[in-house]
């Protein structure tokens, strides 16, 4: 039973590492960004509502995001543990996640903070814009997303630091190297496979 959060700015490599770590630990990687994007693509009511915020680089209102996560964490596959990528991102969302966990008598194991400097983040996001053509990877929306992260999400890390849960990881370097750093930090905190 492994419950992890992955926190870091846009472009830090959360999505990439989330998939690799989830496979390693045999738990689902749950990305609010991916869930929103798939709803936008399928033009569901949630997608229609979320699209405007995403296109501007703003956060989708927490009422929608919290309901989405509450539903997703109630699915059977999440009972064995989970890795959340991109949630919580606001103080509201931290409170909601705390509530969900208390209700299911569960607790977080580790919060992985993935770090990279702004110059590298902008470089990676500009590159991703070319390769994937994501609508929110344009220069002014990227700048807005980085600001929103600094304003609303970065301060949340202190909450988890005060709970003794944060493993700070350098996100620079090869993908496999970063994965190795994270797995080593998790092992050092007692999270082993087949334990
Ligand atoms: P990135 O971390 O690279 O900005 P994501 O794919 O995680 O990208 O998220 C893309 C967009 O989806 C965000 O800019 C935001 O509009 C929305 N989103 C994702 N997660 C959340 C969340 N927890 N709360 C509010 N909005 C979110």
């Amino acid at each position: 039973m492994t419950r992890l959060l992955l926190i870091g700015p846009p472009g830090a490599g959360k999505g990439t590492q989330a998939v690799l770590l989830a496979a390693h630990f045999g738990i689902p990687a749950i990305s609010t960004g991916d869930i929103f994007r798939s709803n936008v693509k399928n033009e569901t009511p949630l997608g229609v509502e979320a699209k405007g915020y995403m296109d501007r680089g703003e956060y989708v209102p927490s009422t929608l995001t919290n309901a989405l996560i509450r539903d997703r964490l109630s699915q059977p596959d999440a009972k064995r543990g989970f890795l959340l990528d991109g949630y919580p991102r606001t103080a509201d969302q931290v409170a909601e996640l705390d509530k969900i966990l208390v209700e299911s008598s569960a607790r977080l194991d580790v919060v992985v903070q993935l770090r990279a400097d702004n110059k590298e983040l902008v470089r990676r996001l500009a590159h991703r814009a070319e390769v994937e053509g994501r609508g929110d990877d344009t220069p002014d929306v990227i700048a807005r997303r980085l600001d929103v992260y600094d304003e609303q999400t970065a301060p949340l890390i202190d909450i988890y630091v005060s709970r003794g849960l944060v493993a700070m990881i350098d996100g620079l370097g090869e993908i496999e190297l970063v994965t190795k750093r994270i797995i080593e930090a998790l092992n050092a905190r007692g999270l082993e496979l087949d334990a």
Side-chain angles (χ1 to χ4, degrees):
M1 195 88 77
T2 306
R3 297 186 194 85
L4 304 173
L5 305 186
L6 199 46
I7 299 190
K14 295 185 302 291
T16 305
Q17 296 299 332
V19 172
L20 296 167
L21 292 170
H24 180 85
F25 286 102
I27 52 179
I30 300 173
S31 156
T32 43
D34 283 351
I35 297 172
F36 283 132
R37 271 187 293 281
S38 109
N39 277 275
V40 169
K41 191 163 157 237
N42 296 320
E43 297 177 1
T44 68
L46 177 65
V48 170
E49 180 98 30
K51 186 176 187 312
Y53 297 98
M54 295 174 75
D55 286 347
R56 291 193 301 276
E58 306 290 337
Y59 287 162
V60 176
S62 283
T63 43
L64 296 177
T65 313
N66 284 340
L68 179 158
I69 280 294
R70 181 173 275 281
D71 174 68
R72 182 63 188 84
L73 292 183
S74 73
Q75 305 296 315
D77 66 334
K79 297 292 166 218
R80 296 191 322 274
F82 52 76
L83 187 162
L84 292 179
D85 157 16
Y87 183 96
R89 271 174 144 112
T90 63
D92 278 18
Q93 295 178 14
V94 171
E96 179 72 4
L97 179 60
D98 283 343
K99 223 166 108 197
I100 296 172
L101 291 169
V102 166
E103 285 166 17
S104 50
S105 308
R107 47 184 196 79
L108 296 174
D109 293 295
V110 180
V111 175
V112 176
Q113 178 193 2
L114 201 54
R115 293 169 53 112
D117 56 85
N118 263 39
K119 205 168 134 230
E120 173 69 6
L121 296 173
V122 170
R123 194 188 67 76
R124 289 182 186 178
L125 292 166
H127 173 73
R128 186 170 77 186
E130 276 176 33
V131 180
E132 293 178 18
R134 238 172 78 167
D136 61 351
D137 278 345
T138 59
D140 42 338
V141 178
I142 287 173
R144 181 66 194 138
R145 282 159 57 212
L146 290 170
D147 283 348
V148 171
Y149 175 83
D150 285 340
E151 282 161 24
Q152 300 197 43
T153 306
L156 307 177
I157 293 168
D158 283 343
I159 299 176
Y160 291 114
V161 168
S162 71
R163 297 182 191 177
L165 289 176
V166 174
M168 196 197 284
I169 306 290
D170 177 6
L172 298 183
E174 299 285 319
I175 289 172
E176 304 78 49
L177 179 63
V178 176
T179 310
K180 190 165 162 274
R181 282 182 200 137
I182 299 174
I183 291 175
E184 279 171 5
L186 294 175
N187 289 346
R189 285 169 172 266
L191 289 186
E192 304 265 3
L193 285 181
D194 309 312

